Amino acid sequence: FRRLMTLEANAAIDGAFAGGATEVLVNDSHWTMRNLLAEELDPRAELLSGGPKTWSMMEGIERGWDCCAFIGYHARAGTANAILDHTYTSSIHDVRLNGASVGELGLTAARAGRFGVPVVLVSGDQALAAECHALLGDQVRTVVVKEAVSRHAARSVAPEVARNRIRDGMRDAIGRASPSRPFVPTAPVTLEVDWSLTVQADHAAMAPGFERSGPRTVTIRHADYREAFRAFRTMFNLAAG
């Protein structure tokens, strides 16, 4: 599966250059962030691998880019008929950004948006595509490579077909005359995190500035989304204890 993941990254790289890109950075972002096979990655791209990373899935975004794409994403925790629905960790029941429920798609798009970078494409299942259009609008290209039947079952296209869809989608998204707008949450930013267990909220609420706003809910407020996200990362690391 690491090889399949690498080949999908290569498809996105190839599509980006076909659409006119001159530089591509691939940020390995799954789990320990050491999944992609470096020796098989398209040599036109740079690879950012390992962790921890301050900006997690958006590490390197601060260098300045015209756009970004999310390859192999999933729907937020609690989504029905979605493959491996979760938000960063199975300990998180829900996250609300300024009152709206979001998953990794929303949290990551906001991080890119804070640096002025729009999301132009996401790939995953049909539930992720619906989540993307509801949050980011129809300008973002969605590439559906599987239809979820349940959390652990899906009807998928062949790997080669998936790669072709990703390649064509990236080419078209990069070459589009009217790109997507960055997703920038209104400041000040409020992040409310609902944990699966009260003991996780006990741990998460230990840091100064975190508010225990419910039996399983811990809240962060900050004028800058970048700092709110860093606090969120600290929160779920504490909760893991």
Side-chain angles (χ1 to χ4, degrees), residues 15-240:
F17 280 106
T22 57
E23 184 179 2
V24 173
L25 174 66
V26 177
N27 183 10
D28 192 335
S29 297
H30 173 65
W31 195 234
T32 60
M33 304 187 176
R34 292 188 295 270
N35 309 280
L36 296 174
L37 301 174
E39 69 275 17
E40 296 189 21
L41 194 71
D42 189 319
R44 292 175 293 179
E46 288 185 293
L47 174 63
L48 179 53
S49 180
K53 300 168 181 167
T54 301
W55 304 122
S56 187
M57 301 176 190
M58 282 290 100
E59 188 69 28
I61 199 73
E62 69 281 357
R63 289 171 49 184
W65 301 92
D66 293 315
C67 61
C68 63
F70 303 158
I71 307 300
Y73 261 54
H74 51 78
R76 67 179 182 267
T79 303
N81 295 327
I83 289 294
L84 295 177
D85 60 297
H86 69 277
T87 303
Y88 277 92
T89 169
S90 60
S91 300
I92 292 177
H93 183 73
D94 189 27
V95 177
R96 290 176 297 283
L97 172 58
N98 288 347
S101 181
V102 294
E104 291 175 24
L105 170 73
L107 292 167
T108 305
R111 205 149 62 257
R114 180 59 184 78
F115 287 96
V117 181
V119 179
V120 296
L121 177 141
V122 302
S123 74
D125 66 11
Q126 85 290 350
L128 175 72
E131 182 179 330
C132 178
H133 288 308
L135 181 69
L136 303 179
D138 292 335
Q139 279 192 307
V140 179
R141 180 72 175 264
T142 56
V143 177
V144 176
V145 297
K146 52 186 171 285
E147 296 282 336
V149 175
S150 66
R151 192 172 196 273
H152 296 135
R155 188 176 71 252
S156 299
V157 300
E160 183 178 358
V161 174
R163 293 194 293 270
N164 288 338
R165 289 183 182 181
I166 291 169
R167 182 182 295 107
D168 292 347
M170 278 297 293
R171 182 197 62 218
D172 295 345
I174 296 293
R176 184 181 297 169
S178 300
S180 308
R181 294 181 180 179
F183 175 58
V184 183
T186 303
V189 173
T190 299
L191 279 175
E192 301 168 277
V193 183
D194 293 343
W195 301 94
S196 299
L197 302 173
T198 53
V199 68
Q200 293 159 346
D202 292 340
H203 284 287
M206 287 182 178
F210 295 175
E211 175 191 344
R212 183 69 171 268
S213 49
R216 297 185 302 169
T217 304
V218 181
T219 299
I220 309 158
R221 293 184 178 87
H222 202 283
D224 188 338
Y225 178 76
R226 293 175 300 182
E227 296 306 307
F229 177 79
R230 289 176 64 180
F232 168 70
R233 285 290 309 278
T234 301
M235 181 189 289
F236 73 69
N237 286 336
L238 285 169

